[in-house]
Amino acid sequence: ARRGLHRASSSPRLEAAWVPSGASGAAALSRGRRSDSLVGAVRLGGASEEQERARTGGDAATSTSFEGKVAAKLGPYKAGAIIAKDIPSPEVDAKIIDAALLKKKTTTTKFERINFTGSGAKLGHTVVIEMEAKRGEGHPQRGAPIPGTKMKGYQLELKESQPDPWRQFVAAIIKAGMGQMESKTFPVSFPADYKKTDFAGTTVDFTVLVLEIGELRPVAPDARPEAEQRAELEAELRQQAQMRTHTAIDVQIRAALLESSEVDTDAKTKSVSWAKFGDESEKSLKWTCILEEVSRNEGVPFDKVQDFLREQAIVQYAAR
């Protein structure tokens, strides 16, 4: 393991406590982009009509406009003033690339979504589900969530040959004719010899949300040389790792500047009294004002400001 220190210029695997083989899922962090719903209502930074028209794709006169710019006093952000800590490394180990290549070679099907199923999910379909277990009937803590059982993005093939407890999921989903974005709660009983001893011989209530309904379609084998396939996978994995790194840095830069900067957004929010501004909405508005102020100060295009801020930050990578 090593920790890197320098100036800086997409899904993890999840495993639920009750699933022997694990399940896949993804997590995403906010990168602090412009809030279009807010900025669409409020022209920021005294932008010119030409700039506003380019941003909105229409007539600038249709937006609520303001003279002058938002009063903003920026906190420190240059020459290492912001330190981003415990950032995931953008490097990709050879073992990860090898594992991805092996998975590609052994993958024979891919999920394809069905947008309309008529009567809902049925045998032969595959559903992408989100689920969580709670203590069932007879338990002193009935209704309490069970740690380690929450999953999102699990693919379940609806077939009669599924082993328990998945067979019960299949039966419940088909019986209810569950559609996309439909949620149901049903009991699931685990056999006495179940591998996870905490669940063996018990009955718990599962709340299942069907995110997508689709079918598993065959995948044609890739006939290209292995070296070419590996190089392509490596490029994809490195791009994903770089995006995760940038996202983590951006989150910390945003938090630091929101805390250290003073931005007077009251005039803007009060001028659109028809809009309701919650805490997160005001943060988004303030962040947009900060980015535009940095853009003006540094002569950097707005869409390049976060790249610039990353270059100015010191990044400390998490131990590997």
Side-chain angles (χ1 to χ4, degrees):
R2 61 187 177 85
R3 180 178 295 272
L5 177 65
H6 77 297
R7 297 278 172 88
S9 84
S10 74
S11 64
R13 187 172 178 84
L14 304 176
E15 183 167 348
W18 58 279
V19 180
S21 59
S24 63
L29 291 173
S30 167
R31 299 188 64 186
R33 294 189 180 93
R34 307 181 74 171
S35 174
D36 289 338
S37 61
L38 294 175
V39 183
V42 182
R43 185 191 300 171
L44 299 175
S48 68
E49 287 192 359
E50 290 76 16
Q51 290 172 322
E52 186 70 1
R53 192 175 292 112
R55 184 187 65 75
T56 61
D59 186 352
T62 62
S63 299
T64 303
S65 63
F66 300 88
E67 295 301 326
K69 67 184 182 65
V70 174
K73 181 180 179 182
L74 297 176
Y77 60 87
K78 297 178 70 173
I82 296 176
I83 300 176
K85 300 179 180 180
D86 295 324
I87 300 299
S89 172
E91 299 300 320
V92 179
D93 292 336
K95 291 181 179 179
I96 295 176
I97 301 170
D98 292 338
L101 181 59
L102 178 61
K103 181 179 179 180
K104 179 183 177 181
K105 287 181 176 180
T106 56
T107 297
T108 57
T109 59
K110 65 177 180 179
F111 177 85
E112 289 192 6
R113 176 175 175 149
I114 300 173
N115 290 323
F116 180 74
T117 61
S119 58
K122 59 185 179 181
L123 283 175
H125 286 156
T126 293
V127 290
V128 180
I129 58 177
E130 176 180 326
M131 70 183 85
E132 184 177 21
K134 297 182 179 180
R135 299 297 180 187
E137 186 176 357
H139 195 281
Q141 295 179 328
R142 184 179 184 183
I146 302 175
T149 61
K150 190 170 185 177
M151 290 192 297
K152 184 176 182 179
Y154 186 84
Q155 287 188 8
L156 176 63
E157 190 175 356
L158 302 183
K159 57 183 182 180
E160 294 177 337
S161 60
Q162 284 282 10
D164 265 333
W166 294 116
R167 185 184 295 115
Q168 298 172 65
F169 283 80
V170 172
I173 291 171
I174 292 174
K175 182 179 179 180
M178 292 179 68
Q180 289 172 157
M181 300 312 296
E182 183 175 359
S183 178
K184 296 287 184 184
T185 298
F186 47 82
V188 174
S189 298
F190 290 82
D193 60 349
Y194 193 67
K195 292 181 180 180
K196 299 292 184 179
T197 56
D198 290 345
F199 293 86
T202 65
T203 298
V204 299
D205 293 332
F206 271 89
T207 297
V208 173
L209 172 65
V210 174
L211 301 173
E212 293 182 284
I213 301 174
E215 294 178 341
L216 295 180
R217 304 284 172 82
V219 175
D222 193 334
R224 295 178 299 164
E226 182 174 303
E228 184 178 344
Q229 296 181 51
R230 193 179 192 281
E232 182 180 78
L233 284 171
E234 180 176 358
E236 292 175 1
L237 290 169
R238 290 192 182 281
Q239 183 180 36
Q240 293 169 12
Q242 189 70 56
M243 289 177 63
R244 285 193 297 270
T245 298
H246 284 182
T247 297
I249 297 170
D250 291 346
V251 166
Q252 294 192 32
I253 291 173
R254 182 178 189 266
L257 277 172
L258 282 174
E259 183 177 357
S260 64
S261 301
E262 298 177 12
V263 181
D264 181 13
T265 59
D266 287 347
K268 301 293 187 184
T269 56
K270 289 177 181 178
S271 296
V272 282
S273 57
W274 49 265
K276 185 177 181 179
F277 287 83
D279 289 343
E280 289 305 314
S281 296
E282 288 198 23
K283 282 184 180 179
S284 294
L285 180 56
K286 180 179 178 181
W287 178 236
T288 301
C289 294
I290 290 171
L291 294 179
E292 292 203 341
E293 186 69 10
V294 174
S295 176
R296 279 188 290 270
N297 287 352
E298 305 299 337
V300 177
F302 183 87
D303 61 352
K304 300 295 183 183
V305 172
Q306 292 200 248
D307 293 339
F308 171 80
L309 291 173
R310 265 184 244 119
E311 291 170 357
Q312 296 298 316
I314 288 177
V315 176
Q316 296 178 348
Y317 290 115
R320 299 178 62 187

